[in-house]
């Protein structure tokens, strides 16, 4: 038998999904965009709608978008391949690195609404507070974050598409973003939210189906049989660094190292990704905290469940005749390229499974691609063109440059991903190494919104010092461990771990020291006075000023302070629970799972996965989406779209969990969407 694994699907299936579904989604989103304009007066040709969806996205859609944000093809493929290599602890660590960061972002989101309610991008806050030099530094950081995240996702997705269909890897790299670029071009961030929901709906159903297929396939048959098969495989090939050499233990050195690395790197991937900030800006004030918290908690299950099922099934099935590589084991290149999950799905579900996974990877890829395109295009239009090229840019000009940014992104990122592929850089290398270059901006960015004492000098110097220290430690450690600096050595666990930790923590004492040497205090009201909404005409300036005054009524201030406290609680609670009380505490227990404990572990992960399906698929419909869909399908015009608004409610509502209506006139249009 040839060592080359034959794709289960023909090339036509690959082109059909990548091109056909891309065109279908593009046409569908164009229709939806026009329908929303007719029914709800949402004009995607305005900057406020294109970039921040009129700041009116409800809780259900926000939560679904957050879940979608962590349905990276990188997460699905990476969690499976690393569980296959290092054990079941990996899925928990990956889930923790997602949920804790998103819940922390709920605090960022509500604080941004309190202090800069009219902001469009993270970089806008940096420019207003720290000036041009800091703004240019953050442009570089944020562009690197978006570009590397996008490239990593595209590398993994294109490799998986090629393995499933035989489609040329370069062709899949370039074609995957095409349809995304079209509907993002026409629909902006609103299209991103809608496609996030649709993609999440389809992906979650497929993922639940895949987990069931893995358990019931004849070669496994039950949770207990999966346990026995993994135990038998570990006797033949024990895992180095794991307690008892077993996959079924939480005491795994490599999983611990990865967990620390990924929690810290994901902090950078979230905080320095302007796309996450824009989704926060886009959420209605009532949806910012519950939407992010609900989505963050729900997102934990996907890497945990899929990583556990995919990785352990590969261990159990690799020596059976149904596995695609049989009778040989997977090569290191196949594993690092993310082919573990595709091979498992082929084994348990044949061509139907391969087709379902192909669709899942396409959905995951396009959903993330849309958010990244909006983020990058916003930087190009708003923070580069509108700030340095044409300071008096009109709303129409900003939209034009946003469109240019979308087109440029859909061409440049595939080219960069192809260069990575030809240079031997794969998805795993980017996954491990990205924190070395983006983490230095994390703490200064958080302080820019949460601490008025950080000075301009501290904000500029601390990330630059962090970059220099991180790269020195990263490359120096790679040379110390392996005696050379190559793609392989710099992508290894320990060099990336030391580099990422250095990148994250060095700016903290640096910014504190500089800020305390020559202290100053920033006036938060500067954000409100200098950051205004983009208006289509000067006639709307007075209206904007009136809305700003209403927004900062005593009732609204009280409500947002309350939500800020809730966000702080959930940020701390998820960090303690998902990191310290779960994987880190269980690392200290020197045990290999018993069959009963393993069974409970699998059952709980499945229940959690179904909870995520309910939150991502059905809660947005319950939260008002079904009513809005009905309005659109009937071709009716919403009363609120024609100018009708709710009357102000009593100020006693400020103590409730709902914001005062009087301060929410503009955003009430889509509160329940």
């Amino acid at each position: 038998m040839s060592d080359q694994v034959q794709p289960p699907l023909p090339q036509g299936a690959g082109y059909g999904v990548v091109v056909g579904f891309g065109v279908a989604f593009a046409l569908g989103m164009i229709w939806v965009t026009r329908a929303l304009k007719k029914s709800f007066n949402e004009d995607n040709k305005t900057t406020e709608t294109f970039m921040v969806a009129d700041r009116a996205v409800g809780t259900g859609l926000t939560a679904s978008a957050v879940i979608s944000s962590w349905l990276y093809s990188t997460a699905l493929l990476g969690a499976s391949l690393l569980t296959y290599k290092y054990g079941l602890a990996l899925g928990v660590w990956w889930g923790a690195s997602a949920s804790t960061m998103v819940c922390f972002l709920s605090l960022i989101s509500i604080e941004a609404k309190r202090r800069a309610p009219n902001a469009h991008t993270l970089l806008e806050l940096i420019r207003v507070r720290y000036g041009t030099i800091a703004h240019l530094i953050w442009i570089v950081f944020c562009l690197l974050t978006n570009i590397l995240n996008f490239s990593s996702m595209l590398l993994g997705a294109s490799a998986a598409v090629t393995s499933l269909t035989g489609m040329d890897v370069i062709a899949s790299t370039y074609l995957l973003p095409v349809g995304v670029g079209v509907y993002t071009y026409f629909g902006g961030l609103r299209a991103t939210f809608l496609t996030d929901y649709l993609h999440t709906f389809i992906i979650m159903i497929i993922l639940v189906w895949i987990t069931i297929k893995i358990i019931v396939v004849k070669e496994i048959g039950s949770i207990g049989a999966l346990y026995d098969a993994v135990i038998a495989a570990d006797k033949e090939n024990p895992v180095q660094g794991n307690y008892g050499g077993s996959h079924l233990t939480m005491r795994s050195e490599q999983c611990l190292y990865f967990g620390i690395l990924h929690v810290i790197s994901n902090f950078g991937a979230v905080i320095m990704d302007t796309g996450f900030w824009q989704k926060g800006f886009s959420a209605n004030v009532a949806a910012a905290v519950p939407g992010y918290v609900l989505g963050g908690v729900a997102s934990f299950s996907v890497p945990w469940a899929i990583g556990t099922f995919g990785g352990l099934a590969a261990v159990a099935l690799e020596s059976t005749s149904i596995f695609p590589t049989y009778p040989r084991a997977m090569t290191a290149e196949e594993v690092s390229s993310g082919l573990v999950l595709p091979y498992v799905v082929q084994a348990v579900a044949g061509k139907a499974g391969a087709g379902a996974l192909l669709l899942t990877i396409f959905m995951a890829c396009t959903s993330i691609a849309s958010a990244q395109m909006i983020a990058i295009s916003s930087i190009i239009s708003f923070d580069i063109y509108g700030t340095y090229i044409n300071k008096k840019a009109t709303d129409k000009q900003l939209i034009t440059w946003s469109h240019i940014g979308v087109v440029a992104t859909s061409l440049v990122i595939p080219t960069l991903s192809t260069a990575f592929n030809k240079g031997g850089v794969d998805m795993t290398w980017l996954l491990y190494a990205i924190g070395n270059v983006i983490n230095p901006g994390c703490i200064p960015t958080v302080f820019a919104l949460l601490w008025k004492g950080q000075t301009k000098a501290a904000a500029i110097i601390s990330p630059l010092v962090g970059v220099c220290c991180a790269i020195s430690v990263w490359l120096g450690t790679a040379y110390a461990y392996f005696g050379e600096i190559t793609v392989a050595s710099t992508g290894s666990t320990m060099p990336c771990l030391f580099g990422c930790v250095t990148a994250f923590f060095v700016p903290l004492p640096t910014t504190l020291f500089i800020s305390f040497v020559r202290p100053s205090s920033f006036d938060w009201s500067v954000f409100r006075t200098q950051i205004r909404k983009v208006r289509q005409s000067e006639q709307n300036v007075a209206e904007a000023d009136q809305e700003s005054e209403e927004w900062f009524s005593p009732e609204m201030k009280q409500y947002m302070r309350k939500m800020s406290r809730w966000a702080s609680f959930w940020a701390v609670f998820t960090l303690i629970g998902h990191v310290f009380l779960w994987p880190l505490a269980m690392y200290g227990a020197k045990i290999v799972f018993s069959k009963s404990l393993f069974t409970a572990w699998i059952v709980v992960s499945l229940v959690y996965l179904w909870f995520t399906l309910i939150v991502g698929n059905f809660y947005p419909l319950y939260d008002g989406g079904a009513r809005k869909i009905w309005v659109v399908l009937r071709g009716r015009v919403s009363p609120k779209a024609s100018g009708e608004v709710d009357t102000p409610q009593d100020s006693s509502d400020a103590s409730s969990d709902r914001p005062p209506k009087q301060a929410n006139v503009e955003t009430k249009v889509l509160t329940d969407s």
Side-chain angles (χ1 to χ4, degrees), residues 242-265:
N242 283 20
Y243 180 74
S246 176
H247 280 83
L248 307 180
T249 179
M250 290 296 289
R251 192 173 182 85
S252 167
E253 291 181 1
Q254 289 296 323
C255 289
L256 175 65
Y257 298 152
F258 173 84
I260 297 171
L261 168 65
H262 207 51
V263 167
I264 293 175
S265 292

Side-chain angles (χ1 to χ4, degrees), residues 368-433:
I368 301 304
S370 181
Q372 297 295 342
M373 285 180 182
I374 287 290
I376 295 173
S377 70
S378 297
I379 295 174
I380 293 172
S381 65
F382 205 84
D383 294 294
I384 297 177
Y385 174 77
T387 302
Y388 299 109
I389 299 175
N390 183 1
K391 295 183 179 181
K392 296 183 179 180
T394 64
D395 191 55
K396 182 178 181 181
Q397 288 172 325
L398 290 174
I399 288 295
T400 298
W401 277 90
S402 293
H403 289 165
I404 292 172
V406 169
V407 174
T409 303
S410 64
L411 295 175
V412 171
I413 300 301
T415 302
L416 181 62
S417 298
T418 301
F420 280 138
N421 180 276
K422 294 299 182 180
V425 173
D426 57 22
M427 175 190 72
T428 306
W429 190 96
L430 286 175
L431 178 67
Y432 274 68

Side-chain angles (χ1 to χ4, degrees), residues 215-231:
I215 291 297
V216 302
V217 69
K218 182 178 65 175
E219 284 74 9
I220 296 179
S222 67
I223 298 174
L226 176 61
Y227 175 87
D228 293 336
V230 174
I231 290 292

Side-chain angles (χ1 to χ4, degrees), residues 280-353:
F281 296 148
S282 302
N284 180 274
V285 67
V289 173
Y292 268 100
V293 170
L294 187 59
V297 172
S299 66
F300 182 96
S301 73
V302 174
W304 179 29
I306 300 306
T308 301
F309 276 84
L312 296 184
V315 174
L317 296 174
E318 193 174 21
S319 59
T320 66
S321 59
I322 66 170
F323 205 73
T325 64
Y326 182 83
R328 66 171 176 85
M330 286 183 285
T331 65
E333 291 76 16
E334 288 172 323
V335 173
S336 64
S337 294
L339 301 184
V340 173
L341 185 60
Y343 285 168
V344 167
V345 173
Q346 286 178 236
V348 302
K351 291 186 176 181

Side-chain angles (χ1 to χ4, degrees), residues 329-643:
M330 286 183 285
T331 65
E333 291 76 16
E334 288 172 323
V335 173
S336 64
S337 294
L339 301 184
V340 173
L341 185 60
Y343 285 168
V344 167
V345 173
Q346 286 178 236
V348 302
K351 291 186 176 181
L357 185 61
L358 176 63
L359 183 59
T360 299
I361 291 170
F362 170 78
M363 295 287 185
C365 178
T366 54
S367 183
I368 301 304
S370 181
Q372 297 295 342
M373 285 180 182
I374 287 290
I376 295 173
S377 70
S378 297
I379 295 174
I380 293 172
S381 65
F382 205 84
D383 294 294
I384 297 177
Y385 174 77
T387 302
Y388 299 109
I389 299 175
N390 183 1
K391 295 183 179 181
K392 296 183 179 180
T394 64
D395 191 55
K396 182 178 181 181
Q397 288 172 325
L398 290 174
I399 288 295
T400 298
W401 277 90
S402 293
H403 289 165
I404 292 172
V406 169
V407 174
T409 303
S410 64
L411 295 175
V412 171
I413 300 301
T415 302
L416 181 62
S417 298
T418 301
F420 280 138
N421 180 276
K422 294 299 182 180
V425 173
D426 57 22
M427 175 190 72
T428 306
W429 190 96
L430 286 175
L431 178 67
Y432 274 68
I434 187 173
N436 293 291
V437 293
I438 65 175
N439 282 355
C442 291
I443 289 176
T445 299
V446 172
F447 281 173
L449 185 65
L450 301 184
W451 181 40
K452 63 175 62 177
Q454 181 171 252
T455 64
K456 177 180 179 180
I460 293 172
I461 295 172
S462 58
L464 297 180
V465 172
V467 168
C468 294
C469 293
I471 293 179
S472 299
V473 170
W474 176 33
L475 299 181
T477 306
Y479 187 81
Y481 269 87
F482 302 99
E484 59 182 1
I485 298 177
T486 62
V487 170
S489 66
T490 54
S492 299
T493 301
M494 298 313 292
C496 291
L497 175 62
F498 286 122
C500 287
V501 170
T502 301
F504 183 80
F505 285 106
V506 164
L508 176 60
T510 306
T511 192
L512 291 176
F513 175 77
I514 298 173
S515 296
F516 287 135
V517 167
R518 299 188 65 180
S520 66
S521 182
F522 181 72
D523 182 3
W524 297 119
S525 66
V526 172
F527 282 151
R528 299 204 304 270
T529 58
Q530 294 193 23
I531 300 178
R532 297 296 184 90
K533 294 179 180 178
V534 178
R535 296 287 164 175
Q536 290 180 287
S537 68
E538 294 297 327
Q539 298 175 356
N540 294 323
V541 173
E543 176 189 348
D545 292 338
Q546 181 182 359
E547 288 174 1
S548 181
E549 291 177 6
E550 290 177 339
W551 183 273
F552 287 96
S553 65
E555 294 83 4
M556 181 57 75
K557 288 181 179 179
Q558 181 181 343
Y559 174 80
M560 288 194 288
R561 282 195 296 267
K562 178 180 179 180
M563 298 309 293
S564 181
R565 290 192 294 270
W566 271 110
S568 300
F569 165 77
W570 278 104
V572 174
F573 180 78
T574 51
L575 179 64
I576 293 174
H578 286 175
V579 175
F580 294 102
L581 296 183
W582 192 345
L584 199 58
M586 290 189 73
Y587 178 83
K590 298 181 179 180
I591 61 168
V592 173
F593 279 28
S594 64
K595 184 176 290 189
S596 58
L597 177 58
F598 178 75
T599 300
W601 186 270
I602 292 296
V603 170
V604 172
S605 72
L606 282 174
V607 172
Y608 207 153
L609 189 66
W610 278 85
F611 165 74
T612 304
L613 181 143
I614 293 171
V615 171
N617 291 20
F618 301 109
Y619 183 67
L621 298 176
Y622 169 80
D623 193 40
R627 181 172 55 180
K628 185 172 183 180
I629 291 171
W630 180 244
V631 171
V632 170
L633 290 178
R634 294 184 64 186
R636 297 178 60 187
V637 177
S638 169
K640 293 176 183 177
S642 61

